[in-house]
Structures are given as C-alpha cells and as structure tokens.
Amino acid sequence: MIDFEQLRSACDGDVALLRELMGMYFDQADQIMLGLHTAIAAGAVADVDHLAHKLAGSSLACGLSAIVPSLREMEHGAKAGHLNGAEASMAEAVTALELLRRAVQDHLQQYKSP
C-alpha cells in the first residue's frame, strides 16, 4: 500500500520535506482525479490515458502504490480506445486515494510538527 521507507529515503529523513512532498502529491492527485472524472464523463479517451498514466507514475515514485491498479485499468482501456469499466475503476481510485491520504496523515502524526 505505502512504502514509508521509500518516502523517508526520498526525503533523506527530513520530516518537513516529507510533509511538503505529501502535500504536493495529494494536491496534484486531487486535481488529476477531478480531471479524470471530467474526462470520463466527456468520453475523452486520450485525456483519461494521459491523466491516469501521470498519477500512476507519481504514485509509484512516492511509494503510494495502492491507487495504481485502478489507474492502470483506466490507462490500458484508454490505450485500447475505450472507457469500458472506467467509472468503476475511478470509484476504486477515489477510495484508494482516501485510504492513502488517511494512512499518510496517521504516519505523519508520529512526528512532531515543526
């Protein structure tokens, strides 16, 4: 679900940097998810492909892999030229993102705030 070791390593153990990185990740993820919702509703296959790929990549880079399977499903469908199942995958991605958000918040609570 979350590779906290990868996150800490990427930030050289700097908790303030980790908080900043996670803030940026979730801000970007929220924007991409909004774009995905709009693209799916509009049937914009190329946009779904691009946005799902972008969020999957940044999620993997941050060690937040729980959301990746549903994003890859959307991406693969879009690459095949369809959005079959995209709404179900989107619902799974929304749930996964919220679970990730809570897990990261819980993890960061163990550190003193600056």
Side-chain angles (χ1 to χ4, degrees), residues 14-93:
D14 184 336
V15 176
L17 182 58
L18 178 58
R19 288 181 196 281
E20 183 179 345
L21 176 66
M22 289 296 89
M24 290 187 313
Y25 169 83
F26 285 110
D27 287 347
Q28 180 188 49
D30 290 340
Q31 290 300 312
I32 291 173
M33 293 292 279
L34 180 61
L36 276 169
H37 177 73
T38 301
I40 291 168
V45 175
D47 290 343
V48 171
D49 178 26
H50 171 75
L51 292 169
H53 180 80
K54 182 176 180 176
L55 185 53
S58 61
S59 298
L60 287 171
C62 290
L64 306 175
S65 61
I67 193 171
V68 173
S70 54
L71 294 169
R72 291 292 190 224
E73 287 178 23
M74 285 185 266
E75 182 183 2
H76 292 148
K79 283 190 185 315
H82 65 80
L83 297 178
N84 301 344
E87 288 181 9
S89 294
M90 182 68 187
E92 291 171 7

